[in-house]
C-alpha cells in the first residue's frame, strides 16, 4: 500500500534465489559485471530503488571473480547470502542494515561473515556515507588470498581466526578494532 503515497513500487520483501554473477577485470583495469562495463556514466536508479525497499535478500548465490589484470586464478564466492534491511522508519534517516555470508573457493572452508549498518541513500554519493561493519574470519589462510589482495606486509603463511569491527565515513576508515 505504500507504493501509492511514495509514487513508486515499494516492496515489503524482494527475495532472489540462487543467482550466479560473473565479475571480470580485464588487463587495462576496466571492470565488467554480468558482461556490462562499469566504465562510463552511472545509472543509479535500480540500486537506489533497492535501498528504498524494506528488505532485499539474495540467497545461495555464486559470485565469480576473474582478474585478468592480476593474472589471478578464478575466485568463487559460493553460498553467498545477503540481506539488506531498510524499513520505512529507518529509510527516513537513510539508515540500512546488512548481513552477508559466503564461502570462498580459497583460503578457508568456513563461512566469512559480515554485518553492519550505514547511512546513505544515493549509490553515486558513497563519499557521503558513514557506518560500521564487523567481519568474522575462522580458520583462514591469508596467504591463500594473495593472488587477489595486496597486504601492507609480505604474508607467506598463517592460518587464524579474527573478528574485526570497522567504522568508516566519507570514504575513509575512522577506526579498526580486532580480536
Amino acid at each position: 500500500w505504500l507504493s501509492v503515497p511514495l509514487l513508486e513500487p515499494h516492496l515489503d520483501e524482494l527475495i532472489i534465489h540462487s543467482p550466479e554473477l560473473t565479475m571480470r577485470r580485464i588487463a587495462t583495469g576496466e571492470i565488467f559485471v554480468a558482461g556490462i562495463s562499469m566504465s562510463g556514466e552511472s545509472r543509479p536508479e535500480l540500486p537506489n530503488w533497492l535501498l528504498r525497499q524494506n528488505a532485499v535478500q539474495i540467497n545461495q548465490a555464486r559470485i565469480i571473480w576473474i582478474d585478468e589484470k592480476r593474472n589471478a586464478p578464478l575466485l568463487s564466492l559460493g553460498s553467498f547470502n545477503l540481506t539488506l534491511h531498510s524499513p520505512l522508519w529507518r529509510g527516513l534517516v537513510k539508515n540500512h542494515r546488512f548481513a552477508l555470508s559466503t564461502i570462498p573457493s580459497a583460503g578457508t572452508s568456513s563461512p566469512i561473515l559480515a554485518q553492519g549498518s550505514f547511512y546513505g541513500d544515493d549509490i553515486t554519493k558513497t563519499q557521503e556515507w558513514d557506518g560500521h561493519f564487523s567481519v568474522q574470519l575462522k580458520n583462514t589462510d591469508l596467504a591463500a588470498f594473495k593472488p587477489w589482495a595486496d597486504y601492507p606486509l609480505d604474508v607467506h603463511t598463517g592460518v587464524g581466526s579474527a573478528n574485526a569491527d570497522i567504522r568508516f565515513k566519507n570514504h575513509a576508515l575512522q577506526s579498526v578494532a580486532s580480536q
Side-chain angles (χ1 to χ4, degrees), residues 22-41 65-70:
T22 300
M23 300 171 67
R24 183 173 137 237
R25 180 168 63 169
I26 62 174
T28 62
E30 185 176 0
I31 295 177
F32 292 81
V33 176
I36 300 169
S37 173
M38 296 294 102
S39 297
E41 189 175 329
W65 173 248
I66 301 167
D67 196 336
E68 296 169 2
K69 183 174 184 174
R70 295 179 78 107

Side-chain angles (χ1 to χ4, degrees), residues 62-83:
R62 181 171 180 234
I63 298 175
I64 298 167
W65 173 248
I66 301 167
D67 196 336
E68 296 169 2
K69 183 174 184 174
R70 295 179 78 107
N71 198 23
L74 179 141
L75 177 65
S76 176
L77 300 177
S79 299
F80 184 92
N81 298 296
L82 173 67
T83 301

Side-chain angles (χ1 to χ4, degrees), residues 51-69:
L51 285 176
R52 292 189 298 269
Q53 304 312 302
N54 284 339
V56 177
Q57 276 186 251
I58 300 173
N59 298 325
Q60 294 300 308
R62 181 171 180 234
I63 298 175
I64 298 167
W65 173 248
I66 301 167
D67 196 336
E68 296 169 2
K69 183 174 184 174

Side-chain angles (χ1 to χ4, degrees), residues 86-116:
S86 304
L88 185 59
W89 64 272
R90 281 185 178 270
L92 293 173
V93 293
K94 305 172 187 175
N95 180 242
H96 314 278
R97 289 182 302 128
F98 71 92
L100 177 148
S101 66
T102 189
I103 301 174
S105 58
T108 184
S109 59
S110 298
I112 295 174
L113 306 173
Q115 63 181 358

Side-chain angles (χ1 to χ4, degrees), residues 77-150:
L77 300 177
S79 299
F80 184 92
N81 298 296
L82 173 67
T83 301
L84 176 67
H85 287 284
S86 304
L88 185 59
W89 64 272
R90 281 185 178 270
L92 293 173
V93 293
K94 305 172 187 175
N95 180 242
H96 314 278
R97 289 182 302 128
F98 71 92
L100 177 148
S101 66
T102 189
I103 301 174
S105 58
T108 184
S109 59
S110 298
I112 295 174
L113 306 173
Q115 63 181 358
S117 69
F118 61 92
Y119 290 87
D121 67 342
D122 188 339
I123 200 79
T124 64
K125 297 179 181 175
T126 57
Q127 70 277 6
E128 298 173 3
W129 291 13
D130 68 276
H132 73 278
F133 63 96
S134 62
V135 178
Q136 182 182 61
L137 305 171
K138 288 186 180 177
N139 302 317
T140 301
D141 180 4
L142 289 180
F145 290 104
K146 282 177 71 171
W148 307 282
D150 293 322

